[in-house]
Amino acid sequence: AAAAAAAAALPAPQGICADPAIVVTPSLPSPVAGADVGILLDLRTRFSPACTWTISPDQLVLKVTSGEDDIWSTQQCPQAVPTQDLVLRRAVSTQVQVVWSARRSDDDCTNRTTWALPGFYHVLVAALAGEPTDLQFELTKPVPAEITETLPPQATGAKQQGAEAKQQQAEQKARSTKKARQG
């Protein structure tokens, strides 16, 4: 009931958002090298209480850099930006996710490029004609999975007796070999 009341209190969209008035704020919850990285985009409008906007590769540009080195860009990988109609508000963010492969991009956005190494990077993002937002983040090393070895259960019944007999035979043979060496 509280969520429904809060949704009802939000203003209805009035027209189309002007691209320069859109503010995009990126966040990266836990970027790990060697795996897809979700880049969350919080979208708001500066002036209108609420308006509609179609996010698409033509309307939003995002790139990952390291110093002067361009690592990845939605201009080379436009399929990373979803195309969808959104309602943007001044008071409440609308969230969209863009997925970066954690690889460098090339002109055809192939998966044959090198991985981005653990370290510090920047993500720059802007709506068309909007002010870019720059966020520094750390791409961390992956943590290896912990493997726990499980030992087989102890042999029971006839199998256990057979194993004990073999053990005794091995011990007797070892004693006889030792006596033969001493004598």
Side-chain angles (χ1 to χ4, degrees):
L10 294 175
Q14 301 292 316
I16 297 173
C17 302
D19 290 333
I22 296 170
V23 178
V24 186
T25 306
S27 63
L28 291 90
S30 52
V32 177
D36 285 353
V37 174
I39 302 170
L40 299 177
L41 305 177
D42 287 327
L43 301 151
R44 290 181 184 239
T45 181
R46 289 181 203 267
F47 309 114
S48 174
C51 51
T52 59
W53 187 63
T54 301
I55 186 172
S56 73
D58 295 331
Q59 298 299 320
L60 181 102
V61 175
L62 184 146
K63 70 179 182 176
V64 176
T65 64
S66 177
E68 296 294 317
D69 189 8
D70 288 342
I71 304 295
W72 183 85
S73 169
T74 58
Q75 292 171 314
Q76 291 178 315
C77 298
Q79 69 280 6
V81 178
T83 298
Q84 65 188 82
D85 294 330
L86 303 171
V87 174
L88 302 184
R89 294 185 166 83
R90 186 174 54 218
V92 179
S93 292
T94 299
Q95 199 168 73
V96 173
Q97 178 173 293
V98 170
V99 177
W100 168 41
S101 66
R103 291 179 174 271
R104 289 181 168 274
S105 59
D106 58 16
D107 289 338
D108 297 320
C109 196
T110 65
N111 64 355
R112 295 182 299 274
T113 57
T114 58
W115 292 99
L117 298 175
F120 287 91
Y121 295 85
H122 285 263
V123 61
L124 293 102
V125 62
L128 187 65
E131 287 292 318
T133 303
D134 182 348
L135 173 72
Q136 183 181 33
F137 68 96
E138 182 178 8
L139 192 62
T140 60
K141 292 179 183 178
V143 177
E146 188 172 308
I147 300 173
T148 305
E149 185 176 339
T150 305
L151 298 175
Q154 292 294 327
T156 57
K159 287 183 180 179
Q160 186 173 358
Q161 290 173 355
E164 288 173 356
K166 285 182 181 178
Q167 173 92 22
Q168 287 175 356
Q169 288 174 354
E171 288 172 2
Q172 282 179 341
K173 186 176 180 182
R175 281 190 292 247
S176 340
T177 305
K178 187 176 179 182
K179 284 183 183 180
R181 286 185 189 157
Q182 290 175 350

